[in-house]
C-alpha cells in the first residue's frame, strides 16, 4: 500500500472550540489553586483522551454530587451546563463550585429564563438526554419548556393558539436539520418568537461549513471525536449529506481503517469541538506509514474567539 498515492483534505477550523479550551483550563487552574483532587460533575467535555489526561493530574469525575466523598473539595460543572438544582445542591452541601459552562450555552440559559419570565411557552430544539438539553430545560419550571427533536414532533404539538410561544436551540446541532425544524415551527406558529441571534454556536457552524466544502471531493470522510459528542456525530451526518459516500466517526476504540482507505484516492478529515489536535495528527501519521500522502488543508475562516476563565482562579 505504501506505493499508493492518497490525497487528504483536512478541514479547518476543526477540533477545540473556545468553550472547550476554557473548560479544560478551568480544571487545570482549579487543581493548581486548590490542589488535588478536584471533582468534576460529568465529563468536562465529551472526549476520553481529555478526561484521562485530567484524571492523571488530579481530577475525579462523577455524575452526581452525592458520589463525592469529601465535600470539602471543590467541584467543577462541565462545559455542557447544569440544571439550576445542581448549584443549589452544592450550596446546600456547602461545597465550593466552579462553573465551566460554555458562555454560549449560558446565553441560551439566560434566553430561556427571560422568555419564561415574559410568559412564553418555550420549545427547545435538541437531543433528548444530552447534558446540554438537561441543563437548559432545568433553568425554568417543568412544563414551561418542551423538547422538539424532529419535524414530526412539531406536527404533534398541541397547544392553545393564544399562548405566547418562543424557541431556543441546543448549541451543537446540525445547522441544516435545525433550519428545517425551525421552518416547520414558524409555519405552524407564525407568531413564534425566535432568538435575536442564532443559538447554534460559531464553532459548530464553522466546522460543519468546512466539512461541507470538501466532503463531495472525498471517497471517504473521517471525523475524529467521541461517540457521546453531539457536534462530532453531526459532522459525520453533514459529510454524508454533502455528497461523501462513506463517512465514519473515529473514536477512542477505533482502529485506523487502512483496508477501507486503500480503496480511496482521496479522504477528508475533521474533528469535533472536544477532540484535541493530537488525535488528528496521530490518525494522519498512521495513514502516512502506509500511503504516499499529500495533505491539503482547506480553511474557510480563521477563528479567534477566546473566553476568560472565572476571576477567582487567576
Amino acid at each position: 500500500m505504501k506505493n499508493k498515492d492518497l490525497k487528504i483534505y483536512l478541514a479547518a477550523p476543526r477540533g477545540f472550540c473556545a468553550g472547550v479550551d476554557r473548560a479544560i483550563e478551568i480544571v487545570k487552574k482549579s487543581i493548581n489553586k486548590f490542589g488535588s483532587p478536584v471533582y468534576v460533575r460529568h465529563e468536562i467535555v465529551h472526549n476520553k483522551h481529555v478526561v484521562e489526561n485530567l484524571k492523571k493530574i488530579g481530577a475525579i469525575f462523577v455524575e452526581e454530587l452525592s458520589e463525592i466523598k469529601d465535600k470539602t473539595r471543590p467541584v467543577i460543572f462541565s462545559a455542557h451546563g447544569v440544571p439550576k438544582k445542581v448549584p443549589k445542591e452544592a450550596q446546600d452541601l456547602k461545597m465550593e463550585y466552579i462553573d465551566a459552562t460554555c458562555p454560549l450555552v449560558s446565553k441560551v440559559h439566560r434566553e430561556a429564563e427571560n422568555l419564561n419570565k415574559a410568559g412564553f411557552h418555550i420549545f427547545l430544539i435538541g437531543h433528548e438526554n444530552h447534558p446540554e438539553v438537561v441543563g437548559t430545560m432545568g433553568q425554568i419550571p417543568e412544563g414551561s419548556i418542551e423538547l422538539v427533536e424532529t419535524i414530526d414532533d412539531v406536527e404533534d404539538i398541541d397547544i392553545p393558539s393564544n399562548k405566547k410561544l418562543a424557541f431556543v436551540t441546543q448549541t451543537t446541532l446540525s445547522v441544516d436539520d435545525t433550519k428545517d425544524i425551525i421552518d416547520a415551527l414558524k409555519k405552524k406558529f407564525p407568531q413564534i418568537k425566535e432568538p435575536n441571534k442564532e443559538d447554534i454556536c460559531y464553532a459548530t457552524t464553522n466546522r460543519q461549513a468546512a466539512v461541507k466544502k470538501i466532503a463531495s471531493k472525498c471517497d471517504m470522510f473521517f471525523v475524529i471525536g467521541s461517540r457521546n459528542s453531539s457536534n462530532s456525530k453531526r459532522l459525520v451526518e453533514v459529510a454524508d449529506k454533502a455528497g461523501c459516500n462513506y463517512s465514519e466517526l473515529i473514536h477512542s476504540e477505533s482502529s485506523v481503517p487502512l483496508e477501507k482507505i486503500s480503496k480511496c484516492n482521496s479522504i477528508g478529515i475533521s474533528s469535533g469541538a472536544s477532540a484535541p489536535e493530537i488525535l488528528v495528527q496521530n490518525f494522519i501519521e498512521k495513514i502516512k506509514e502506509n500511503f504516499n500522502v499529500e495533505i491539503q488543508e482547506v480553511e474557510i475562516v480563521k477563528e479567534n474567539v477566546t473566553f476568560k476563565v472565572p476571576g477567582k482562579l487567576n
Side-chain angles (χ1 to χ4, degrees):
M1 285 194 296
K2 186 62 185 166
N3 299 332
K4 183 172 167 65
D5 292 337
L6 180 72
K7 178 145 190 182
I8 295 178
Y9 290 99
L10 189 55
R14 62 183 175 278
F16 280 179
C17 59
V20 165
D21 265 334
R22 174 180 179 270
I24 295 167
E25 193 61 16
I26 284 173
V27 178
K28 289 177 177 172
K29 286 198 163 192
S30 297
I31 292 167
N32 282 344
K33 178 165 182 169
F34 301 107
S36 64
V38 162
Y39 288 89
V40 184
R41 185 188 176 278
H42 191 68
E43 288 186 350
I44 187 71
V45 298
H46 282 158
N47 187 273
K48 194 173 178 181
H49 180 89
V50 171
V51 167
E52 292 305 320
N53 281 343
L54 293 173
K55 280 182 184 173
K56 284 176 194 159
I57 62 169
I60 296 174
F61 291 84
V62 296
E63 283 304 308
E64 296 299 342
L65 301 188
S66 56
E67 296 167 47
I68 298 172
K69 303 273 192 291
D70 183 357
K71 302 287 195 282
T72 65
R73 300 305 302 161
V75 62
I76 299 166
F77 303 147
S78 83
H80 311 98
V82 293
K84 272 229 160 74
K85 64 180 185 189
V86 175
K88 186 181 182 316
E89 186 189 350
Q91 282 169 342
D92 292 347
L93 293 166
K94 299 193 167 44
M95 289 188 74
E96 167 108 38
Y97 68 85
I98 300 110
D99 190 354
T101 302
C102 171
L104 298 176
V105 174
S106 299
K107 174 179 97 63
V108 178
H109 287 183
R110 286 194 301 272
E111 275 179 86
E113 281 188 285
N114 292 338
L115 288 165
N116 177 246
K117 280 181 190 142
F120 283 87
H121 180 78
I122 304 162
F123 300 112
L124 168 61
I125 302 170
H127 295 291
E128 192 170 17
N129 296 328
H130 187 279
E132 187 188 324
V133 163
V134 173
T136 299
M137 293 185 83
Q139 299 305 307
I140 56 178
E142 213 175 319
S144 48
I145 184 166
E146 65 182 286
L147 186 63
V148 174
E149 290 193 272
T150 63
I151 289 175
D152 289 346
D153 290 349
V154 176
E155 285 168 19
D156 294 341
I157 293 169
D158 183 20
I159 206 146
S161 56
N162 61 347
K163 245 337 203 171
K164 290 203 301 185
L165 304 175
F167 71 85
V168 295
T169 82
Q170 187 180 330
T171 62
T172 53
L173 298 177
S174 155
V175 175
D176 294 337
D177 291 353
T178 308
K179 183 184 179 303
D180 292 342
I181 295 170
I182 289 170
D183 287 347
L185 276 171
K186 285 179 172 175
K187 191 172 170 192
K188 184 161 182 173
F189 306 109
Q191 305 311 117
I192 196 163
K193 181 173 167 51
E194 60 186 314
N196 295 332
K197 191 171 178 297
E198 191 176 45
D199 291 333
I200 294 177
C201 89
Y202 78 93
T204 300
T205 305
N206 290 347
R207 278 149 193 69
Q208 289 179 17
V211 168
K212 271 186 201 171
K213 177 108 174 162
I214 56 180
S216 62
K217 301 175 185 171
C218 305
D219 301 318
M220 289 183 77
F221 204 101
F222 298 100
V223 175
I224 318 291
S226 293
R227 281 173 289 193
N228 60 343
S229 161
S230 172
N231 74 80
S232 300
K233 290 194 287 193
R234 300 296 82 76
L235 288 176
V236 176
E237 292 166 9
V238 166
D240 271 338
K241 286 185 178 165
C244 185
N245 293 330
Y246 185 86
S247 312
E248 189 175 315
L249 184 71
I250 301 290
H251 52 79
S252 55
E253 276 100 56
S254 302
S255 53
V256 180
L258 296 170
E259 192 55 45
K260 291 176 186 169
I261 293 171
S262 69
K263 299 182 174 69
C264 300
N265 294 315
S266 61
I267 63 169
I269 299 175
S270 185
S271 54
S274 45
E277 180 62 15
I278 184 79
L279 299 182
V280 176
Q281 295 308 322
N282 289 349
F283 185 72
I284 291 172
E285 284 309 312
K286 200 66 157 173
I287 294 171
K288 278 182 175 174
E289 287 168 18
N290 295 274
F291 301 93
N292 297 322
V293 167
E294 179 203 340
I295 298 175
Q296 183 182 341
E297 187 167 32
V298 181
E299 184 174 59
I300 60 152
V301 64
K302 277 246 185 289
E303 286 182 348
N304 54 7
V305 180
T306 54
F307 296 134
K308 290 189 175 79
V309 301
K312 66 176 170 182
L313 293 178
N314 289 324

